[in-house]
Amino acid sequence: MDLRQLRGFVAVAGAGTITEAANQLGLAPASTSEQIRRLESSLGVTLFERTPRGMRLTGPGRTLLAEARGLLDHAEAVRLAVTGQRREVRVGALEMLAATRLPGIIRRLAESRPDIDLDVTALSRQLLLAEIARGSLDAGLLLDSGVQIGGLGFVPPPELDFLDVGEVRLVLVAAPTGHADTLLVTEPACSIRMASDRMFGLDVRRRELPGVVTVREWAKQGLGMALLPDFAIAEDLAAGTLIPLEPEAPALALRMVWLNGREEGLRDLLYAMSS
């Protein structure tokens, strides 16, 4: 068992196919397949079930996956310590969180660990979770609710851990001059839309708009009421261009998610996020 075999194994587990994993690694599919075969031979276990839809982890494969990620993270930490190179942590976030919440986290991380570079990518939740599962991102920042990942109403990939690092308060608002009996909402996959659907159900009259900014501007024009995150409407509430309405909405959890077994490599980032 060597690091190249482990990297191939982790790539196949994330990609689901030999071909896709080989593309990620810059290798020929035959080379990646041989790495998996040799790893299985050295361990004496079958790590994947070969199915028409791709490679599916067996029980021993799932056990190895978390350990392999930890070993690879440790090996990378040793390499960086020896070479003196800077470490890069790749984080994905919903665009509105990347704009409003990540700057403070980056500042705290820079103060505590100036040797770490934080690379930030703004993605939809579906793409964010897919990239974490593939190993292309180290962690992601999203909105959720409940005691398990996906409590807001989406289906996460398996083998994710999480830490709640704050909350986002939602406020039902409208223009002070009155508002149409219409709920302005974002697209169905949006976290704020999911929260609106949970709060009001599906029977209320609604108008779907392309994003939080558009919903806010339409609400300011008196075209409906809207459930929006507090950071998106703070200035409007202070200026009186939007006013809060009843009922009070439950807050959403600001949640960091990552693959099982990678806590050690993300310890500094977790500390910066939870500070």
Side-chain angles (χ1 to χ4, degrees):
M1 184 169 62
D2 61 33
L3 294 179
R4 287 176 299 176
Q5 292 171 355
L6 291 177
R7 289 192 186 96
F9 166 73
V10 170
V12 173
T17 69
I18 291 288
T19 300
E20 179 61 26
N23 289 336
Q24 294 175 20
L25 295 168
L27 299 174
S31 298
T32 302
S33 181
E34 179 64 12
Q35 287 179 346
I36 300 302
R37 189 193 67 77
R38 290 189 177 186
L39 182 58
E40 290 179 322
S41 177
S42 68
L43 294 173
V45 298
T46 300
L47 299 172
F48 291 101
E49 294 178 17
R50 279 71 171 173
T51 74
R53 295 187 176 181
M55 307 285 278
R56 185 169 59 194
L57 285 167
T58 62
R62 288 191 294 272
T63 300
L64 177 61
L65 184 57
E67 300 295 337
R69 290 172 180 145
L71 286 170
L72 291 173
D73 285 342
H74 182 66
E76 178 64 9
V78 170
R79 186 187 70 81
L80 293 175
V82 171
T83 62
Q85 292 179 304
R86 296 175 64 85
R87 180 180 160 214
E88 182 179 80
V89 177
R90 301 155 300 173
V91 175
L94 305 179
E95 185 172 2
M96 60 181 173
L97 298 180
T100 59
R101 295 303 178 96
L102 276 179
I105 293 169
I106 292 174
R107 184 175 61 252
R108 292 194 296 272
L109 187 63
E111 292 170 352
S112 62
R113 287 297 303 272
D115 59 314
I116 295 179
D117 291 326
L118 190 62
D119 180 48
V120 177
T121 303
L123 294 169
S124 67
R125 182 183 55 250
Q126 183 178 0
L127 286 175
L128 184 153
L129 292 172
E131 291 301 301
I132 293 174
R134 286 161 53 102
S136 300
L137 290 175
D138 295 305
L141 193 64
L142 48 74
L143 296 176
D144 202 357
S145 65
V147 297
Q148 299 292 334
I149 303 173
L152 189 57
F154 59 90
V155 179
E159 301 177 347
L160 291 185
D161 278 336
F162 73 93
L163 174 69
D164 287 344
V165 296
E167 66 177 24
V168 171
R169 190 169 68 93
L170 300 179
V171 186
L172 184 65
V173 295
T177 54
H179 59 89
D181 188 21
T182 300
L183 180 65
L184 304 175
V185 297
T186 53
E187 59 276 9
C190 175
S191 302
I192 307 304
R193 168 65 177 275
M194 289 181 173
S196 296
D197 289 347
R198 288 165 65 95
M199 182 172 175
F200 291 98
L202 302 178
D203 295 332
V204 64
R205 181 183 176 188
R206 66 188 64 215
R207 183 190 294 272
E208 186 176 308
L209 298 169
V212 168
V213 172
T214 305
V215 167
R216 181 189 64 198
E217 295 306 310
W218 281 49
K220 288 165 63 175
Q221 296 300 317
L223 298 175
M225 57 183 176
L227 187 67
L228 292 169
D230 55 357
F231 57 76
I233 55 173
E235 293 183 1
D236 293 300
L237 290 174
T241 52
L242 287 173
I243 59 172
L245 305 175
E246 296 291 338
E248 184 174 344
L252 294 180
L254 185 62
R255 183 163 287 176
M256 179 180 172
V257 298
W258 64 91
L259 283 171
N260 290 345
R262 307 210 63 182
E263 293 81 359
E264 182 66 24
L266 295 171
R267 181 173 53 193
D268 296 297
L269 178 61
L270 291 171
Y271 178 78
M273 282 195 167
S274 58
S275 299

